[in-house]
Amino acid sequence: DAGVIQSPRHEVTEMGQEVTLRCKPISGHNSLFWYRQTMMRGLELLIYFNNNVPIDDSGMPEDRFSAKMPNASFSTLKIQPSEPRDSAVYFCASSLRGAGEKLFFGSGTQLSVL
Amino acid sequence: GNSVTQMEGPVTLSEEAFLTINCTYTATGYPSLFWYVQYPGEGLQLLLKATKADDKGSNKGFEATYRKETTSFHLEKGSVQVSDSAVYFCALSDRDTDKLIFGTGTRLQVFP
């Protein structure tokens, strides 16, 4: 298996633009997590899905952030409009049966908002 | 709420030195505990886990014991290598919310 695949690896955009990050979880995994990593705040859980359904989005910072999982093999995290403080590395992770199981992380998307 | 506290880094060691990275947790109930490792430019990888009190997780020479009485899960390795240089994250899984809560990470730098 290719592991969790995220795209793009790097994204540079200007303030106010829409940004879409993509994730393909490992086939057969039914839980998907979006994390944000910054020097100041460390790793923050933004949202997670179980069987394609959002279970907890309490970590989503504000309404500018939205996430979808239209099917078991694809998820997106969208920021509209983007702001410089959104600059971070965004990780997607998947697992079998939730957080108690081993999480497999993608390589992340390095987002820079100028 | 549930939380994880790790020692601040960086931890700087010479090759073959003994490593300890402290981790304590606050949780209701009985969470599972994890150590994840992040190598430069990569995502996190599970290093080891323990699911109940007194369990010892081990992998690649690293060990950590689930200590309920001290609410700790310290990471140890007897002899570190340059290739162990990475950021190490302690984490717990909240059984009620099914979330994985990470500490802030500790950077380890090993020099030859």
Side-chain angles (χ1 to χ4, degrees):
Chain A
D1 198 314
V4 176
I5 300 173
Q6 291 187 245
S7 64
R9 275 306 295 270
H10 303 276
E11 177 79 35
V12 180
T13 190
E14 292 187 347
M15 183 173 64
Q17 296 298 306
E18 177 179 296
V19 174
T20 299
L21 311 181
R22 297 174 176 80
C23 175
K24 180 179 179 351
I26 291 174
S27 177
H29 284 188
N30 67 349
S31 294
L32 184 141
F33 305 79
W34 281 102
Y35 284 89
R36 178 171 67 176
Q37 185 178 36
T38 60
M39 289 292 291
M40 292 296 294
R41 302 171 71 92
L43 262 175
E44 302 172 276
L45 176 63
L46 300 178
I47 185 171
Y48 79 95
F49 296 84
N50 193 41
N51 293 322
N52 311 339
V53 176
I55 302 300
D56 188 336
D57 65 354
S58 59
M60 297 285 262
E62 47 198 274
D63 292 345
R64 297 184 297 107
F65 286 68
S66 62
K68 294 181 180 179
M69 193 166 185
N71 56 61
S73 59
F74 184 65
S75 178
T76 59
L77 178 68
K78 185 177 292 187
I79 308 173
Q80 166 65 14
S82 58
E83 296 183 2
R85 60 195 169 114
D86 302 330
S87 298
V89 181
Y90 291 81
F91 287 104
C92 176
S94 70
S95 76
L96 289 168
R97 298 188 300 275
E101 298 288 332
K102 176 179 178 179
L103 260 62
F104 292 80
F105 281 77
S107 298
T109 295
Q110 173 79 59
L111 173 65
S112 298
V113 182
L114 306 178
Chain B
N2 295 346
S3 65
V4 175
T5 302
Q6 291 182 235
M7 61 189 290
E8 287 197 23
V11 174
T12 303
L13 295 173
S14 298
E15 206 164 26
E16 299 183 5
F18 184 85
L19 168 70
T20 300
I21 300 179
N22 290 338
C23 171
T24 57
Y25 67 90
T26 301
T28 54
Y30 305 96
S32 292
L33 301 175
F34 306 80
W35 278 100
Y36 278 79
V37 58
Q38 184 180 28
Y39 298 103
E42 298 182 12
L44 281 71
Q45 305 171 27
L46 179 64
L47 181 59
L48 52 85
K49 67 182 281 189
T51 58
K52 61 183 186 298
D54 299 325
D55 265 4
K56 177 187 283 188
S58 60
N59 185 25
K60 300 180 182 179
F62 291 89
E63 293 183 340
T65 301
Y66 191 141
R67 300 285 188 201
K68 184 169 179 290
E69 62 276 13
T70 55
T71 61
S72 65
F73 193 55
H74 304 321
L75 182 68
E76 297 182 335
K77 185 174 185 182
S79 176
V80 294
Q81 305 300 311
V82 173
S83 57
D84 294 326
S85 299
V87 181
Y88 292 81
F89 292 87
C90 186
L92 68 82
S93 67
D94 185 322
R95 296 186 199 275
D96 293 332
T97 64
D98 204 25
K99 290 182 180 180
L100 193 64
I101 298 169
F102 286 92
T104 52
T106 302
R107 181 175 299 279
L108 170 65
Q109 297 174 322
V110 181
F111 293 96

